[in-house]
Amino acid sequence: MSKTAENRPANTEKSHSANLDTANEDESASESSDTIALPAHVAGSGTLDQLIDTARDYAKAATAKNTNKAYAADWKHFVRWCRMKGTEPLPPSPEMIGLYLTDLAAPAGPSPALSVSTIDRRLSGLAWNYAQRGFDLDRTDRHISSVLAGIKRKHARPPVQKAAILPEDILAMVATLPYDLRGLRDRAILLLGFAGGLRRSEIVSLDAGKGDTPDSGGWVDILNDGAVLTLNAKTGWREVEIGRGSSDKTCPIHALEQWLHFAKIDFGPIFVRTSRDGKKALEARLSDKHVARLIKTTVLKSGIRAELPEKDRLALFSGHSLRAGLASSAEVDERYVQKQLGHASAEMTRRYQRRRDRFRVNLTKAAGL
């Protein structure tokens, strides 16, 4: 190796890497971890190249797939904005990022203003992308923190919550499904998602057994009294216990067993696509978007909130409606609901409870008034 290469300043390499990243802004955020490489003074080898590939896989797995997609979109939007303003995204400029946040909250053009939560997420996406490129973004810099605080003070609104799917709703929804193979699958998805308070990504990531597939997000153990779901969720590994229902018609475990039996699934992804005629289970795992579409479709067919226009009914419900439904319907100690949903705090669980006795504990009377 020449002296020139040995004595090359570190910031020169960073600048070169930054230029490459800027040129490839259309690549996904997870692919920015491809910058993981050997130090310049180390000679490559087959063994080290294998380790680099493995390290890149770990780097991609550090954040959820949907988070990676969102951060990639955030970076792409910011790069385009910078070029339209005649500036460059690298290195990070707190002044320019402050102006970017301002334009998101109060755009001068035809673009709609973004919500405070979306702006906050965009900033997190930029910080993550800068970190992948070897830069630190100081979010406490006054050009960023002061602008963001002002945006929150002026534009913050209470979070818009999706409607909860209540027990009578879920029964009406599953009643719209046929008893063909596809209907058995979708019935299991709705009942299991509701009884487990599961995220849509947790539902479709389940495998029949431990370690069946590389992209598994957990597995199911079916027992006499119910099923235990071991999930690798965004908050870490947790177990979800789902007991059997009072009848086969409403039992999530019976619905799951029916699907597994007729689909002939004993290995790999549990919830998979079916053939066009709905008579054969395929190998491809379902997308989590299927759960959202399934909920909206069955809500419309079942006549839930029929007094509202169709557009409003569709906007009311999403994948989170299943989690909110369990939290709002289970009349047990709040701690059990918190555990089932995998929440770190009781306050987060209460956000999911659309109906509850808010004054069950009356501190006014307890204080003697």
Side-chain angles (χ1 to χ4, degrees), residues 40 58 60 72 121 131 134 160 185 189 192 265 270 281 298 303 362 366:
Y58 282 139
K60 289 177 182 179
R121 207 287 316 285
V160 178
R185 179 198 64 191
I189 287 175
L192 200 71
I265 294 175
I270 286 180
T298 51
N362 190 328

Side-chain angles (χ1 to χ4, degrees), residues 6 21 36 57 70 96 161 182 197 218 223 277 326 331 333 366:
E6 290 177 351
D21 283 326
I36 293 176
D57 290 340
M96 289 306 299
Q161 294 183 321
R182 189 176 293 140
L223 310 174
D277 58 9
L326 179 73
E331 297 181 359
D333 191 299

Side-chain angles (χ1 to χ4, degrees), residues 35 42 64 70 75 100 144 170 172 237 243 247 287 292 294 325 327 347:
T35 55
V42 176
W75 182 252
Y100 173 65
I144 298 176
I170 198 72
W237 285 99
S247 72
S287 162
L294 174 62
E347 182 59 35

Side-chain angles (χ1 to χ4, degrees), residues 104 115 119 130 144 184 213 221 272 276 286 296 355:
L104 296 179
S115 66
I119 293 173
Y130 276 124
I144 298 176
L184 292 177
T213 63
D221 292 312
V272 296
R276 286 184 178 273
L286 278 177
K296 291 179 183 295
R355 62 178 190 186

Side-chain angles (χ1 to χ4, degrees), residues 70-71 73-75 77-78 92-102 104 114-131 135-149 151-152:
Y71 284 173
D74 293 340
W75 182 252
H77 185 274
F78 177 63
S93 166
E95 295 85 353
M96 289 306 299
I97 292 175
L99 294 178
Y100 173 65
L101 300 180
T102 301
L104 296 179
L114 299 184
S115 66
V116 172
S117 60
T118 302
I119 293 173
D120 213 3
R121 207 287 316 285
R122 286 274 177 94
L123 182 57
S124 296
L126 294 185
W128 186 88
N129 274 284
Y130 276 124
F135 295 95
D136 290 326
L137 177 62
D138 184 10
R139 296 180 58 164
T140 64
D141 185 284
R142 62 185 180 86
H143 294 95
I144 298 176
S145 60
S146 297
V147 169
L148 186 60
I151 290 172
K152 290 182 177 180

